[in-house]
Every structure is written in C-alpha cells, then in structure tokens.
Amino acid sequence: MFCMIDHYELSPQLRKGLLDGCVLAVLRTKGEAYGLEISSALRENGPLIGGEGTLYPLLSRLRRDGLVETRWEPSASGPARRYYFLTAAGTAALDKFTADWAFLKTAIDPLLNSPKD
Amino acid sequence: MVSAYLDSVRLHLGGSSGDRGLVLEEVTAHIAERLEAFPESDRTPDAIMRILSDIGSPEEIAASFRANNPTQLGVLERPDAAQPTPLLAYVSLVCGVFAVALVLLPFTRTFAILPSFAGFITGFDAMRKVAPGYNWTARVGVVLSLTVLAMGLLSLVLTALGSVMY
C-alpha cells in the first residue's frame, strides 16, 4: 500500500496544519538541527514537505513565535550553519500537538475503519 | 543558474529585508550545502537542476512565505491589491463614455479631450491598483478614452496636414 510513498501527495491543507508539529518533533529528537537536516528528516518516512525551500519560511515563523531559537555554527565542509533548537514554549507546543494528534487518532480512526452498515 | 534562481526567489519574496532576508540566506546556504555533497566534477547542469527542483520553485517558496507571514506581503501581492479602489475604475469608465458622447455631438468635439485624458489617467491608475474583478471596468474606460484621444490627435494631424497642403 505504501510502496509509492515517495510520491504521495498529501493534501496541502492537512500538511499545513501538521508540519509545525513535525518540525518541532524533529528538533526534539535531534536536540538541534540545521535546515537541510530537518528537511531530510521530514522526507525520511514520506514527503511531509513539498520543496525543501518551503521549510525556511515556516522555521522563520516558528522562531518569530518563540517556539524555536537559533545559533550559528561554522561548518568545515561548507557555509556556516544555522542550528535550530526548541525553546520551552516550543516544547510545550509540541506536547500540545502530541496530545492533539493522539486525540484525533482516537476520534478519527474508528470513523475511517468502521465497516459498512 | 543558481544565482538566477536566487534572484528569482528574491523577486518572488518581494525583497531581502527582515524575514525575507533570513529565508533567502537559508535557501542560499541550503543550496551550497547540497552542492558540497557533489564533487566538483559531478556538478553538471542536470545535477544542479535536480537540487533546485528539490528545493522547490521560487513561486512555491514565496507561497510558503506568504502562508507563514500573512501580514508581510510580497511584491507580487501588493497591499493595494487587497484594497480595491473601484471608484477610480468607475470614474475612468464615466469619463470614457462622456468623451465618446462629446465626440459624437457636433459642437462639443473640442472638449472631448478633457474627459478622455482624465479617463485614460484614472483608468490606467485603476488597472494598476484595483482587484481583478474591477479591472474590466477600468479597461473599458481606458479603451474608450484612448479611442477619443486617438481620434482627437488624428483630427489635429489631419487639420495640420490640410493647412500645410492648402
């Protein structure tokens, strides 16, 4: 069923709502990460983002909203990297997202999987 | 190729100040990072195109910027486009119709130049500013005004030619 997952087209509206939580989750897992790392992680299990470049406006907003912070680090192999990491508000937002996701799964899965009358 | 792409991203973002600059900076670093993964000899135009395609079109990045910054509009989404000014379009239309009427009446042709000029200016301004729904009103106004202006100029040229010839 998921053999074509590399080409799966997620509904843009759904993606928009979920992407913030996914980015925050990547940052919690990695501790901190730079843009290319985040976009690679978001594509690892399926294309959660469209173009990799579309991630940066989102990261910029998360930073403006105080959910992530950044720091620069020189890279031996190329340009300096801007590392993103969660703030306390970001961690709280991710906890809320996790709870919301669990709630949605519990509420929606039975609807999707219920047999025909 | 990369600098043309970045120029296009900058254009679609509507500049490089504030958050737009950060996005541009990150996209630039992202491209450099992706290019670093290729040995110099493998950086063919095809490989670079593939990288740019993975990063997404400038339109896609600008759309993401707009979605994440609804209060910071790009150059392709001017603030005045969100605030239609239909009055200008209607003024242009009325001026255009008035100019045509003046041209058709026998003793008022000379005065048609005034409303036609006003119609052209307001219609042109309206077409730059108003929402697409109103553009046709402005367009009709501009076309009518220009027609009358052209007729006036033609008449002037013919009169001048006539006076030279005879």
Side-chain angles (χ1 to χ4, degrees):
Chain A
M1 180 183 176
F2 294 111
C3 57
M4 296 294 284
I5 202 158
D6 280 351
H7 308 290
Y8 190 79
E9 278 291 327
L10 187 63
S11 149
Q13 288 301 321
L14 203 52
R15 173 183 286 154
K16 196 177 163 189
L18 300 175
L19 208 49
D20 288 17
C22 296
V23 169
L24 296 177
V26 168
L27 292 178
R28 181 170 62 187
T29 307
K30 290 187 176 293
E32 60 177 9
Y34 60 97
L36 185 56
E37 272 185 318
I38 300 171
S39 62
S40 302
L42 289 172
R43 291 187 148 190
E44 209 169 278
N45 300 312
L48 282 174
I49 50 169
E52 293 165 6
T54 61
L55 177 65
Y56 295 109
L58 185 149
L59 284 169
S60 158
R61 175 173 56 77
L62 292 180
R63 194 171 75 140
R64 208 173 49 243
D65 292 347
L67 303 183
V68 301
E69 259 307 332
T70 62
R71 69 175 183 85
W72 282 100
E73 189 168 297
S75 159
S77 60
R81 290 167 174 167
R82 189 196 300 272
Y83 278 83
Y84 294 83
F85 55 92
L86 286 182
T87 61
T91 307
L94 179 57
D95 289 343
K96 175 77 172 88
F97 175 78
T98 309
D100 287 350
W101 182 249
F103 166 79
L104 285 173
K105 265 187 74 67
T106 310
I108 294 174
D109 277 355
L111 292 176
L112 295 178
N113 299 324
S114 61
K116 260 185 176 172
D117 281 340
Chain B
M1 191 187 296
V2 171
S3 69
Y5 173 84
L6 288 171
D7 282 346
S8 180
V9 172
R10 184 183 299 112
L11 177 73
H12 281 84
L13 285 174
S16 55
S17 59
D19 281 349
R20 294 181 180 91
L22 291 181
V23 170
L24 204 58
E25 202 176 81
E26 286 282 55
V27 171
T28 308
H30 191 109
I31 294 172
E33 195 88 40
R34 290 283 308 265
L35 285 173
E36 281 298 319
F38 284 90
E40 194 81 43
S41 56
D42 290 350
R43 288 181 201 169
T44 60
D46 273 356
I48 295 172
M49 278 298 287
R50 210 162 37 247
I51 290 174
L52 297 183
S53 154
D54 283 350
I55 290 169
S57 67
E59 291 87 350
E60 204 182 345
I61 294 172
S64 170
F65 183 82
R66 282 194 296 273
N68 284 288
N69 298 273
T71 57
Q72 297 186 41
L73 302 174
V75 72
L76 300 180
E77 194 178 350
R78 296 189 306 269
D80 49 7
Q83 300 165 352
T85 50
L87 189 62
L88 272 183
Y90 290 124
V91 167
S92 165
L93 183 63
V94 168
C95 286
V97 171
F98 189 51
V100 171
L102 289 181
V103 160
L104 293 177
L105 295 171
F107 303 110
T108 53
R109 277 180 194 149
T110 320
F111 303 109
I113 190 89
L114 294 173
S116 67
F117 191 67
F120 172 68
I121 296 293
T122 51
F124 187 74
D125 201 32
M127 283 207 295
R128 286 196 308 121
K129 288 181 177 171
V130 300
Y134 294 108
N135 268 353
W136 281 106
T137 311
R139 281 176 196 172
V140 173
V142 167
V143 167
L144 290 178
S145 304
L146 273 180
T147 307
V148 173
L149 270 177
M151 286 167 72
L153 286 175
L154 188 65
S155 156
L156 276 176
V157 170
L158 289 178
T159 309
L161 278 177
S163 64
V164 167
M165 288 172 74
Y166 301 103

